[in-house]
Coordinates of all heavy atoms in Angstrom, one line a residue:
M24 N -4.4 18.8 3.2 CA -3.1 18.1 3.5 C -2.0 18.8 2.9 O -0.9 18.8 3.4 CB -3.2 16.6 3.1 CG -2.0 15.8 3.5 SD -2.1 14.1 3.0 CE -3.4 13.5 4.0
A25 N -2.2 19.4 1.7 CA -1.1 20.1 1.0 C -0.4 21.2 1.9 O 0.8 21.4 1.8 CB -1.6 20.6 -0.3
A26 N -1.3 21.9 2.6 CA -0.8 23.0 3.4 C 0.2 22.5 4.5 O 1.2 23.2 4.8 CB -1.9 23.8 4.1
Q27 N 0.0 21.4 5.0 CA 0.9 20.9 6.1 C 2.3 20.6 5.5 O 3.3 20.6 6.2 CB 0.3 19.7 6.7 CG 1.0 18.4 6.5 CD 0.2 17.2 7.1 OE1 -1.0 17.2 7.1 NE2 0.9 16.2 7.6
H28 N 2.5 20.5 4.2 CA 3.7 20.2 3.6 C 4.3 21.3 2.8 O 5.3 21.2 2.1 CB 3.7 18.9 2.7 CG 3.2 17.7 3.5 ND1 4.0 17.2 4.5 CD2 2.1 17.0 3.5 CE1 3.3 16.1 5.0 NE2 2.2 16.0 4.5
A29 N 3.6 22.4 2.8 CA 4.0 23.5 1.9 C 5.4 24.0 2.3 O 6.2 24.5 1.4 CB 3.0 24.7 2.1
A30 N 5.8 24.0 3.5 CA 7.2 24.5 3.9 C 8.3 23.5 3.7 O 9.5 23.9 3.8 CB 7.1 25.0 5.3
S31 N 7.9 22.3 3.4 CA 8.9 21.2 3.2 C 9.7 21.4 1.9 O 9.2 21.8 0.9 CB 8.3 19.9 3.2 OG 9.2 18.9 3.0
T32 N 11.0 21.2 2.0 CA 11.8 21.2 0.8 C 12.1 19.8 0.4 O 12.9 19.6 -0.6 CB 13.2 21.9 1.1 OG1 13.9 21.3 2.1 CG2 13.0 23.4 1.4
A33 N 11.6 18.8 1.1 CA 11.9 17.4 0.8 C 11.2 17.0 -0.6 O 10.2 17.6 -0.9 CB 11.4 16.5 1.9
E34 N 11.8 16.1 -1.3 CA 11.2 15.6 -2.5 C 10.2 14.5 -2.2 O 10.4 13.6 -1.3 CB 12.3 15.1 -3.4 CG 13.2 16.1 -3.9 CD 12.5 17.0 -5.0 OE1 11.6 16.5 -5.8 OE2 12.8 18.2 -5.0
P35 N 9.0 14.5 -2.9 CA 8.1 13.4 -2.6 C 8.7 12.1 -3.0 O 9.6 12.0 -3.9 CB 6.9 13.7 -3.5 CG 7.1 15.2 -3.8 CD 8.5 15.5 -3.7
V36 N 8.2 11.0 -2.5 CA 8.7 9.6 -2.9 C 7.5 8.8 -3.2 O 6.4 9.0 -2.7 CB 9.5 9.0 -1.7 CG1 8.7 8.9 -0.4 CG2 10.1 7.7 -2.1
V37 N 7.7 7.9 -4.2 CA 6.6 7.0 -4.7 C 7.2 5.6 -4.6 O 8.3 5.3 -5.0 CB 6.2 7.3 -6.1 CG1 5.2 6.4 -6.6 CG2 5.7 8.7 -6.2
F38 N 6.4 4.7 -4.1 CA 6.8 3.3 -4.1 C 5.7 2.5 -4.8 O 4.5 2.8 -4.6 CB 7.3 2.7 -2.9 CG 6.4 2.5 -1.7 CD1 5.7 1.3 -1.6 CD2 6.0 3.6 -0.9 CE1 4.8 1.1 -0.5 CE2 5.1 3.4 0.2 CZ 4.6 2.2 0.3
V39 N 6.1 1.4 -5.4 CA 5.1 0.6 -6.2 C 5.3 -0.8 -5.6 O 6.4 -1.4 -5.5 CB 5.4 0.7 -7.7 CG1 4.4 -0.3 -8.4 CG2 5.2 2.1 -8.2
V40 N 4.2 -1.5 -5.3 CA 4.2 -2.9 -4.9 C 3.2 -3.7 -5.8 O 2.2 -3.2 -6.1 CB 3.7 -3.0 -3.5 CG1 3.7 -4.4 -3.0 CG2 4.6 -2.1 -2.5
T41 N 3.6 -4.9 -6.2 CA 2.6 -5.7 -6.9 C 2.4 -7.0 -6.0 O 3.3 -7.5 -5.4 CB 3.2 -6.2 -8.3 OG1 4.4 -6.9 -8.1 CG2 3.4 -4.9 -9.2
R42 N 1.2 -7.5 -6.1 CA 0.9 -8.7 -5.3 C 0.0 -9.6 -6.2 O -1.0 -9.1 -6.8 CB 0.1 -8.3 -4.1 CG 1.0 -7.7 -3.0 CD 0.2 -7.4 -1.7 NE 1.0 -7.0 -0.7 CZ 1.3 -5.7 -0.5 NH1 0.7 -4.8 -1.2 NH2 2.1 -5.3 0.5
R43 N 0.2 -10.8 -6.2 CA -0.6 -11.9 -6.8 C -1.4 -12.5 -5.7 O -0.8 -13.1 -4.8 CB 0.2 -12.9 -7.7 CG -0.6 -13.8 -8.4 CD 0.3 -14.6 -9.4 NE 0.7 -13.8 -10.5 CZ 2.0 -13.5 -10.8 NH1 2.9 -14.0 -10.1 NH2 2.2 -12.6 -11.8
I44 N -2.8 -12.5 -5.8 CA -3.6 -13.0 -4.8 C -4.0 -14.4 -5.0 O -4.3 -14.8 -6.1 CB -4.9 -12.1 -4.7 CG1 -4.5 -10.6 -4.6 CG2 -5.7 -12.5 -3.5 CD1 -3.5 -10.3 -3.6
R45 N -3.9 -15.2 -3.9 CA -4.4 -16.6 -4.1 C -5.9 -16.7 -4.4 O -6.7 -15.9 -4.0 CB -4.2 -17.3 -2.7 CG -2.8 -17.5 -2.3 CD -2.7 -18.3 -1.0 NE -1.3 -18.2 -0.5 CZ -0.3 -19.0 -1.0 NH1 -0.5 -19.8 -2.0 NH2 0.9 -18.9 -0.4
S46 N -6.2 -17.6 -5.2 CA -7.6 -17.9 -5.7 C -8.4 -18.1 -4.4 O -8.0 -18.9 -3.5 CB -7.7 -19.0 -6.6 OG -9.0 -19.3 -7.0
G47 N -9.5 -17.4 -4.3 CA -10.4 -17.6 -3.2 C -10.2 -16.6 -2.0 O -10.9 -16.5 -1.1
C48 N -9.1 -15.8 -2.2 CA -8.7 -14.9 -1.1 C -9.1 -13.4 -1.5 O -8.7 -12.5 -0.8 CB -7.3 -15.0 -0.7 SG -6.8 -16.6 0.0
E49 N -9.7 -13.2 -2.6 CA -10.0 -11.9 -3.1 C -10.6 -11.0 -2.2 O -10.3 -9.8 -2.0 CB -10.6 -12.0 -4.5 CG -9.9 -12.6 -5.6 CD -10.0 -14.2 -5.6 OE1 -10.7 -14.8 -4.8 OE2 -9.2 -14.8 -6.4
R50 N -11.7 -11.5 -1.6 CA -12.6 -10.7 -0.6 C -11.7 -10.3 0.6 O -11.7 -9.1 1.0 CB -13.8 -11.4 -0.3 CG -14.7 -10.7 0.6 CD -15.3 -9.4 0.0 NE -16.1 -8.7 0.9 CZ -16.0 -7.4 1.0 NH1 -15.3 -6.7 0.2 NH2 -16.8 -6.7 1.9
Q51 N -11.0 -11.2 1.1 CA -10.2 -10.9 2.3 C -9.1 -9.9 1.9 O -8.8 -9.1 2.7 CB -9.5 -12.2 2.8 CG -10.4 -13.2 3.5 CD -9.6 -14.4 3.8 OE1 -9.3 -15.3 2.8 NE2 -9.2 -14.6 5.0
F52 N -8.6 -10.0 0.7 CA -7.6 -9.1 0.3 C -8.1 -7.7 0.1 O -7.5 -6.7 0.6 CB -6.9 -9.6 -1.0 CG -5.9 -8.6 -1.6 CD1 -4.7 -8.5 -1.0 CD2 -6.2 -7.7 -2.6 CE1 -3.7 -7.7 -1.4 CE2 -5.2 -6.9 -3.1 CZ -4.0 -6.8 -2.5
E53 N -9.3 -7.6 -0.4 CA -9.9 -6.2 -0.6 C -10.2 -5.6 0.8 O -10.0 -4.4 1.0 CB -11.2 -6.4 -1.4 CG -10.9 -6.6 -2.9 CD -12.1 -6.9 -3.6 OE1 -13.3 -6.7 -3.2 OE2 -12.0 -7.3 -4.9
Q54 N -10.6 -6.5 1.8 CA -10.7 -5.9 3.1 C -9.4 -5.5 3.7 O -9.3 -4.4 4.4 CB -11.4 -7.0 4.1 CG -12.8 -7.3 3.6 CD -13.4 -8.5 4.3 OE1 -12.7 -9.4 4.8 NE2 -14.7 -8.7 4.3
W55 N -8.4 -6.2 3.5 CA -7.0 -5.9 3.9 C -6.6 -4.5 3.3 O -6.0 -3.7 4.0 CB -6.0 -6.9 3.6 CG -4.6 -6.6 3.9 CD1 -4.0 -6.7 5.1 CD2 -3.7 -5.9 3.0 NE1 -2.7 -6.1 5.0 CE2 -2.5 -5.7 3.7 CE3 -3.8 -5.5 1.7 CZ2 -1.4 -5.0 3.2 CZ3 -2.7 -4.9 1.1 CH2 -1.5 -4.7 1.8
M56 N -6.9 -4.4 2.0 CA -6.5 -3.1 1.3 C -7.2 -1.9 2.0 O -6.6 -0.9 2.1 CB -6.9 -3.1 -0.1 CG -5.8 -3.8 -1.0 SD -6.1 -3.5 -2.8 CE -7.8 -3.9 -3.0
D57 N -8.5 -2.1 2.4 CA -9.2 -1.0 3.1 C -8.5 -0.7 4.4 O -8.3 0.5 4.7 CB -10.6 -1.4 3.4 CG -11.5 -1.4 2.2 OD1 -11.1 -0.8 1.1 OD2 -12.6 -2.0 2.2
R58 N -8.0 -1.7 5.2 CA -7.4 -1.4 6.4 C -6.0 -0.7 6.2 O -5.6 0.2 6.9 CB -7.2 -2.7 7.2 CG -8.5 -3.3 7.8 CD -8.2 -4.4 8.8 NE -7.6 -5.6 8.2 CZ -8.3 -6.5 7.5 NH1 -9.5 -6.4 7.2 NH2 -7.6 -7.6 7.0
M59 N -5.3 -1.2 5.2 CA -4.0 -0.6 4.8 C -4.2 0.9 4.5 O -3.5 1.8 4.9 CB -3.3 -1.3 3.8 CG -2.0 -0.7 3.3 SD -0.7 -0.6 4.5 CE 0.1 -2.2 4.3
A60 N -5.2 1.2 3.6 CA -5.4 2.5 3.1 C -5.9 3.4 4.3 O -5.5 4.5 4.4 CB -6.6 2.6 2.0
N61 N -6.7 2.9 5.2 CA -7.1 3.7 6.4 C -5.9 4.0 7.3 O -5.8 5.2 7.8 CB -8.2 2.9 7.2 CG -9.5 3.0 6.5 OD1 -9.8 3.8 5.7 ND2 -10.3 1.9 6.8
A62 N -5.0 3.1 7.5 CA -3.8 3.3 8.3 C -3.0 4.3 7.6 O -2.5 5.2 8.3 CB -3.1 2.0 8.6
E63 N -2.7 4.2 6.4 CA -1.8 5.1 5.7 C -2.4 6.5 5.7 O -1.7 7.5 5.8 CB -1.6 4.7 4.2 CG -0.7 3.5 4.1 CD -0.6 2.9 2.7 OE1 -1.5 3.1 1.9 OE2 0.4 2.3 2.5
S64 N -3.7 6.7 5.5 CA -4.3 8.0 5.4 C -4.2 8.8 6.7 O -4.3 10.0 6.6 CB -5.8 7.9 5.0 OG -6.6 7.3 6.0
A65 N -4.0 8.1 7.8 CA -3.8 8.8 9.1 C -2.3 9.3 9.3 O -2.1 10.0 10.3 CB -4.2 7.9 10.2
L66 N -1.5 8.9 8.4 CA 0.0 9.3 8.6 C 0.3 10.7 8.2 O -0.1 11.2 7.2 CB 0.8 8.3 7.8 CG 0.7 6.8 8.2 CD1 1.4 6.0 7.2 CD2 1.3 6.6 9.6
A67 N 1.3 11.3 8.9 CA 1.9 12.6 8.5 C 2.6 12.3 7.3 O 3.4 11.2 7.2 CB 2.7 13.1 9.6
G68 N 2.6 13.1 6.3 CA 3.4 12.9 5.1 C 2.8 12.0 4.0 O 3.3 11.9 2.9
F69 N 1.7 11.4 4.3 CA 1.0 10.5 3.3 C 0.3 11.4 2.3 O -0.5 12.3 2.6 CB 0.0 9.6 4.0 CG -0.8 8.7 3.0 CD1 -0.2 7.7 2.4 CD2 -2.1 9.0 2.8 CE1 -0.9 6.9 1.5 CE2 -2.8 8.2 1.9 CZ -2.2 7.1 1.2
L70 N 0.6 11.2 1.0 CA 0.0 12.0 -0.1 C -1.1 11.2 -0.8 O -1.9 11.9 -1.5 CB 1.1 12.5 -1.0 CG 2.2 13.4 -0.4 CD1 3.3 13.7 -1.5 CD2 1.6 14.6 0.2
G71 N -1.1 10.0 -0.8 CA -2.1 9.2 -1.5 C -1.7 7.8 -2.0 O -0.5 7.5 -1.9
R72 N -2.7 7.1 -2.5 CA -2.4 5.7 -2.9 C -3.4 5.4 -4.1 O -4.4 6.0 -4.1 CB -2.4 4.7 -1.9 CG -3.8 4.3 -1.4 CD -3.8 3.2 -0.4 NE -3.5 1.9 -1.0 CZ -2.6 1.1 -0.5 NH1 -1.9 1.3 0.5 NH2 -2.4 0.0 -1.2
E73 N -2.9 4.6 -5.0 CA -3.7 4.1 -6.0 C -3.6 2.6 -6.1 O -2.5 2.1 -6.1 CB -3.3 4.7 -7.4 CG -4.2 4.2 -8.5 CD -3.8 4.9 -9.9 OE1 -2.8 5.6 -9.9 OE2 -4.5 4.5 -10.9
D74 N -4.7 1.9 -6.1 CA -4.7 0.4 -6.1 C -5.3 0.0 -7.4 O -6.4 0.3 -7.8 CB -5.6 -0.2 -5.0 CG -5.0 0.2 -3.6 OD1 -3.9 -0.1 -3.4 OD2 -5.8 0.7 -2.8
I75 N -4.4 -0.6 -8.3 CA -4.8 -1.0 -9.6 C -5.0 -2.5 -9.7 O -4.1 -3.3 -9.4 CB -3.7 -0.6 -10.6 CG1 -3.4 0.9 -10.5 CG2 -4.1 -1.0 -12.0 CD1 -2.1 1.3 -11.1
P76 N -6.3 -2.9 -10.0 CA -6.7 -4.4 -9.9 C -6.0 -5.1 -11.1 O -5.6 -4.5 -12.1 CB -8.2 -4.4 -10.0 CG -8.5 -3.1 -10.7 CD -7.4 -2.1 -10.3
P77 N -6.1 -6.4 -11.1 CA -5.6 -7.2 -12.2 C -6.4 -6.8 -13.5 O -7.6 -6.4 -13.4 CB -6.0 -8.7 -11.8 CG -5.9 -8.6 -10.3 CD -6.5 -7.3 -10.0
Q78 N -5.9 -7.0 -14.6 CA -6.5 -6.5 -15.9 C -6.8 -7.8 -16.7 O -6.1 -8.8 -16.7 CB -5.4 -5.6 -16.6 CG -5.0 -4.4 -15.9 CD -6.2 -3.5 -15.6 OE1 -6.9 -3.0 -16.4 NE2 -6.4 -3.2 -14.3
P79 N -7.8 -7.6 -17.6 CA -8.3 -8.8 -18.4 C -7.3 -9.2 -19.5 O -7.4 -10.2 -20.1 CB -9.6 -8.2 -19.0 CG -9.7 -6.8 -18.7 CD -8.7 -6.5 -17.6
D80 N -6.3 -8.3 -19.7 CA -5.3 -8.6 -20.7 C -4.2 -9.6 -20.3 O -3.3 -9.9 -21.0 CB -4.6 -7.3 -21.2 CG -3.8 -6.6 -20.2 OD1 -3.7 -7.2 -19.0 OD2 -3.2 -5.6 -20.4
G81 N -4.4 -10.2 -19.1 CA -3.5 -11.2 -18.6 C -2.6 -10.7 -17.5 O -2.0 -11.5 -16.8
Q82 N -2.6 -9.5 -17.2 CA -1.8 -8.9 -16.0 C -2.6 -9.3 -14.8 O -3.7 -8.9 -14.5 CB -1.7 -7.4 -16.2 CG -0.8 -6.8 -15.1 CD -1.7 -6.2 -14.0 OE1 -2.8 -5.7 -14.3 NE2 -1.2 -6.2 -12.8
D83 N -2.1 -10.3 -14.0 CA -2.8 -10.9 -12.9 C -2.4 -10.5 -11.6 O -2.6 -11.2 -10.6 CB -2.8 -12.4 -13.1 CG -1.4 -13.0 -12.9 OD1 -0.4 -12.2 -12.9 OD2 -1.2 -14.2 -12.8
T84 N -1.8 -9.3 -11.4 CA -1.4 -8.8 -10.1 C -2.1 -7.6 -9.8 O -2.5 -6.8 -10.7 CB 0.2 -8.5 -10.1 OG1 0.5 -7.6 -11.1 CG2 0.9 -9.8 -10.3
W85 N -2.3 -7.3 -8.5 CA -2.7 -6.0 -8.0 C -1.4 -5.1 -7.9 O -0.4 -5.6 -7.6 CB -3.2 -6.1 -6.6 CG -4.7 -6.5 -6.6 CD1 -5.2 -7.7 -6.6 CD2 -5.8 -5.6 -6.5 NE1 -6.6 -7.6 -6.5 CE2 -7.0 -6.3 -6.5 CE3 -5.9 -4.2 -6.5 CZ2 -8.2 -5.8 -6.4 CZ3 -7.1 -3.6 -6.4 CH2 -8.3 -4.4 -6.4
T86 N -1.5 -3.9 -8.3 CA -0.4 -2.9 -8.3 C -0.9 -1.8 -7.3 O -2.0 -1.3 -7.5 CB -0.1 -2.4 -9.6 OG1 0.3 -3.5 -10.5 CG2 1.1 -1.4 -9.5
H87 N 0.0 -1.5 -6.4 CA -0.3 -0.4 -5.4 C 0.8 0.6 -5.6 O 2.0 0.4 -5.6 CB -0.2 -0.9 -4.0 CG -0.9 -2.2 -3.8 ND1 -2.3 -2.3 -3.7 CD2 -0.5 -3.5 -3.7 CE1 -2.7 -3.5 -3.5 NE2 -1.6 -4.3 -3.5
V88 N 0.3 1.9 -5.8 CA 1.2 3.1 -6.0 C 1.0 3.9 -4.8 O -0.1 4.5 -4.7 CB 1.0 3.8 -7.4 CG1 1.9 4.9 -7.5 CG2 1.1 2.9 -8.5
V89 N 2.0 4.1 -4.0 CA 1.8 4.9 -2.8 C 2.8 6.0 -2.7 O 4.0 5.8 -3.1 CB 2.0 3.9 -1.5 CG1 1.8 4.7 -0.2 CG2 1.2 2.7 -1.6
R90 N 2.3 7.2 -2.3 CA 3.1 8.4 -2.4 C 3.2 9.0 -1.0 O 2.2 9.1 -0.2 CB 2.5 9.4 -3.3 CG 2.5 8.9 -4.7 CD 1.8 9.9 -5.7 NE 0.6 10.5 -5.3 CZ -0.7 9.9 -5.4 NH1 -0.7 8.7 -5.8 NH2 -1.7 10.5 -5.0
F91 N 4.4 9.5 -0.6 CA 4.7 10.2 0.6 C 5.4 11.5 0.3 O 6.1 11.6 -0.7 CB 5.6 9.4 1.6 CG 4.8 8.3 2.3 CD1 4.6 7.0 1.8 CD2 4.2 8.5 3.4 CE1 3.9 6.0 2.4 CE2 3.4 7.6 4.1 CZ 3.3 6.3 3.6
A92 N 5.3 12.4 1.2 CA 6.0 13.8 1.0 C 7.4 13.7 1.0 O 8.1 14.5 0.4 CB 5.4 14.7 2.1
S93 N 8.1 12.7 1.7 CA 9.5 12.6 1.8 C 9.9 11.1 2.1 O 9.0 10.4 2.5 CB 10.0 13.5 2.9 OG 9.6 12.9 4.2
V94 N 11.1 10.8 1.8 CA 11.6 9.5 2.1 C 11.6 9.2 3.6 O 11.4 8.1 4.1 CB 13.0 9.3 1.5 CG1 14.1 10.1 2.2 CG2 13.4 7.8 1.5
E95 N 11.7 10.3 4.4 CA 11.7 10.1 5.9 C 10.3 9.7 6.3 O 10.1 8.9 7.2 CB 12.0 11.4 6.6 CG 13.5 11.8 6.5 CD 13.9 12.4 5.2 OE1 13.0 12.9 4.4 OE2 15.1 12.5 4.9
D96 N 9.2 10.3 5.7 CA 7.9 9.9 6.0 C 7.6 8.4 5.6 O 7.0 7.6 6.3 CB 6.8 10.8 5.3 CG 6.8 12.2 5.8 OD1 7.0 12.4 7.0 OD2 6.7 13.1 4.9
Q97 N 8.1 8.0 4.5 CA 8.0 6.6 4.0 C 8.7 5.7 5.0 O 8.2 4.7 5.4 CB 8.5 6.5 2.6 CG 8.5 5.0 2.1 CD 9.4 4.7 0.9 OE1 10.2 5.5 0.6 NE2 9.1 3.6 0.2
R98 N 9.9 6.0 5.3 CA 10.7 5.2 6.3 C 10.1 5.0 7.6 O 10.0 4.0 8.2 CB 12.1 5.7 6.4 CG 13.0 5.5 5.2 CD 14.3 6.1 5.4 NE 15.2 5.9 4.2 CZ 16.2 6.6 3.9 NH1 16.6 7.6 4.6 NH2 16.8 6.4 2.7
A99 N 9.4 6.2 8.1 CA 8.7 6.1 9.4 C 7.6 5.1 9.3 O 7.3 4.4 10.2 CB 8.2 7.5 9.8
W100 N 6.8 5.1 8.1 CA 5.7 4.2 8.0 C 6.2 2.7 7.9 O 5.7 1.8 8.6 CB 4.9 4.5 6.7 CG 3.9 3.6 6.4 CD1 3.6 3.0 5.1 CD2 2.8 3.0 7.2 NE1 2.5 2.2 5.2 CE2 2.0 2.2 6.4 CE3 2.5 3.1 8.5 CZ2 0.9 1.5 6.9 CZ3 1.4 2.5 9.1 CH2 0.6 1.7 8.3
F101 N 7.4 2.5 7.2 CA 7.9 1.1 7.1 C 8.4 0.7 8.5 O 8.4 -0.5 8.7 CB 9.0 1.1 6.1 CG 8.6 1.1 4.6 CD1 9.5 1.2 3.7 CD2 7.2 1.1 4.3 CE1 9.1 1.2 2.3 CE2 6.8 1.1 3.0 CZ 7.8 1.2 2.0
A102 N 8.8 1.5 9.4 CA 9.3 1.2 10.7 C 8.1 1.1 11.7 O 8.3 0.6 12.9 CB 10.3 2.2 11.2
D103 N 6.9 1.5 11.3 CA 5.7 1.4 12.2 C 5.3 0.0 12.5 O 5.1 -0.7 11.6 CB 4.7 2.3 11.6 CG 3.5 2.6 12.5 OD1 2.9 1.6 13.0 OD2 3.3 3.8 12.8
P104 N 5.0 -0.3 13.8 CA 4.4 -1.7 14.0 C 3.1 -2.0 13.3 O 2.9 -3.1 13.0 CB 4.3 -1.7 15.6 CG 5.1 -0.6 16.1 CD 5.2 0.4 15.0
T105 N 2.3 -1.0 13.0 CA 1.1 -1.2 12.3 C 1.3 -1.7 10.9 O 0.7 -2.6 10.5 CB 0.2 0.1 12.3 OG1 -0.1 0.5 13.6 CG2 -1.1 -0.1 11.6
Y106 N 2.3 -1.1 10.3 CA 2.7 -1.5 9.0 C 3.2 -2.9 9.0 O 2.8 -3.8 8.1 CB 3.8 -0.6 8.4 CG 4.4 -1.1 7.1 CD1 3.6 -0.8 5.9 CD2 5.6 -1.8 6.9 CE1 4.1 -1.2 4.7 CE2 6.0 -2.2 5.7 CZ 5.3 -1.9 4.6 OH 5.8 -2.4 3.4
A107 N 4.1 -3.3 9.9 CA 4.6 -4.7 10.0 C 3.4 -5.7 10.2 O 3.5 -6.7 9.6 CB 5.6 -4.8 11.1
A108 N 2.5 -5.3 11.1 CA 1.4 -6.2 11.3 C 0.5 -6.4 10.1 O 0.1 -7.5 9.7 CB 0.5 -5.7 12.5
L109 N 0.3 -5.3 9.3 CA -0.5 -5.4 8.1 C 0.2 -6.2 7.0 O -0.5 -7.1 6.3 CB -0.9 -4.0 7.6 CG -2.0 -3.3 8.4 CD1 -1.9 -1.8 8.0 CD2 -3.3 -3.9 8.0
I110 N 1.5 -6.1 7.0 CA 2.3 -6.9 5.9 C 2.2 -8.4 6.3 O 2.0 -9.3 5.4 CB 3.7 -6.4 5.8 CG1 3.7 -5.0 5.2 CG2 4.6 -7.3 5.0 CD1 3.0 -4.9 3.8
E111 N 2.3 -8.7 7.6 CA 2.2 -10.1 8.0 C 0.8 -10.7 7.7 O 0.7 -11.8 7.3 CB 2.6 -10.2 9.5 CG 4.1 -10.1 9.8 CD 5.0 -11.1 9.0 OE1 4.6 -12.3 8.9 OE2 5.9 -10.6 8.4
E112 N -0.2 -9.8 7.9 CA -1.6 -10.3 7.7 C -1.8 -10.6 6.3 O -2.6 -11.5 5.9 CB -2.5 -9.1 8.1 CG -4.0 -9.4 8.0 CD -4.8 -8.2 8.4 OE1 -4.4 -7.4 9.4 OE2 -5.9 -8.1 7.9
V113 N -1.2 -9.9 5.3 CA -1.5 -10.1 3.9 C -0.7 -11.2 3.3 O -1.1 -11.8 2.3 CB -1.3 -8.8 3.1 CG1 0.2 -8.5 2.8 CG2 -2.1 -8.8 1.8
K114 N 0.4 -11.6 3.9 CA 1.3 -12.6 3.3 C 0.5 -14.0 3.0 O 0.7 -14.4 1.9 CB 2.5 -12.9 4.2 CG 3.5 -11.9 4.2 CD 4.7 -12.2 5.0 CE 5.7 -11.1 5.0 NZ 6.9 -11.4 5.9
P115 N -0.3 -14.5 3.9 CA -1.0 -15.7 3.5 C -2.0 -15.6 2.4 O -2.4 -16.6 1.8 CB -1.7 -16.1 4.8 CG -1.2 -15.2 5.9 CD -0.6 -14.1 5.2
L116 N -2.4 -14.4 2.0 CA -3.4 -14.1 1.0 C -2.7 -14.0 -0.4 O -3.4 -14.1 -1.4 CB -4.1 -12.8 1.2 CG -4.8 -12.7 2.5 CD1 -5.5 -11.3 2.7 CD2 -5.8 -13.8 2.8
C117 N -1.4 -14.0 -0.4 CA -0.7 -13.7 -1.7 C 0.2 -15.0 -2.1 O 0.7 -15.7 -1.2 CB 0.3 -12.6 -1.5 SG -0.6 -11.0 -1.1
T118 N 0.4 -15.1 -3.4 CA 1.4 -16.1 -3.9 C 2.6 -15.4 -4.3 O 3.6 -16.1 -4.5 CB 0.8 -16.8 -5.1 OG1 0.6 -15.9 -6.2 CG2 -0.5 -17.5 -4.8
Q119 N 2.6 -14.1 -4.3 CA 3.8 -13.3 -4.7 C 4.0 -12.2 -3.8 O 3.0 -11.6 -3.4 CB 3.7 -12.9 -6.1 CG 4.8 -11.9 -6.5 CD 4.4 -11.3 -7.9 OE1 3.4 -11.5 -8.5 NE2 5.3 -10.5 -8.4

């Protein structure tokens, strides 16, 4: 994937999202994360993601760190109907 972006002069972009999951929805949420990760991995300009689960120290949110090769790549994903559908799908699973 790095070779496809070697000629680009754009700066990479990182965005971070946190989500608090409703009790009892954890399994559905993990399945949703898999679908989101699969959709993102097929995108031009996608560089990677890290999903950080809640921590035993009291931090009770999932944190998602997602990287794109450029802000244009990120904006294209945010404008994609697949992204919109996945976001609507996850909303009932979250309290935040």
Side-chain angles (χ1 to χ4, degrees):
M24 188 176 295
Q27 115 185 33
H28 301 293
S31 175
T32 59
E34 291 292 322
V36 63
V37 175
F38 69 95
V39 177
V40 178
T41 59
R42 292 186 171 90
R43 186 169 287 118
I44 308 309
R45 293 184 189 282
S46 180
C48 294
E49 294 83 4
R50 180 71 183 131
Q51 289 173 284
F52 179 73
E53 290 174 8
Q54 293 168 343
W55 174 86
M56 276 194 310
D57 288 343
R58 288 191 298 281
M59 177 62 89
N61 287 335
E63 287 172 338
S64 69
L66 299 170
F69 177 72
L70 298 177
R72 73 176 288 128
E73 182 179 1
D74 297 308
I75 305 163
Q78 302 296 305
D80 65 2
Q82 182 261 326
D83 62 350
T84 59
W85 275 88
T86 302
H87 313 285
V88 181
V89 186
R90 298 178 313 283
F91 282 92
S93 70
V94 70
E95 291 80 15
D96 292 324
Q97 177 195 18
R98 287 180 182 154
W100 175 228
F101 286 174
D103 190 298
T105 300
Y106 176 79
L109 284 163
I110 293 303
E111 287 304 311
E112 183 182 327
V113 78
K114 285 180 180 179
L116 307 177
C117 302
T118 62
Q119 169 191 7

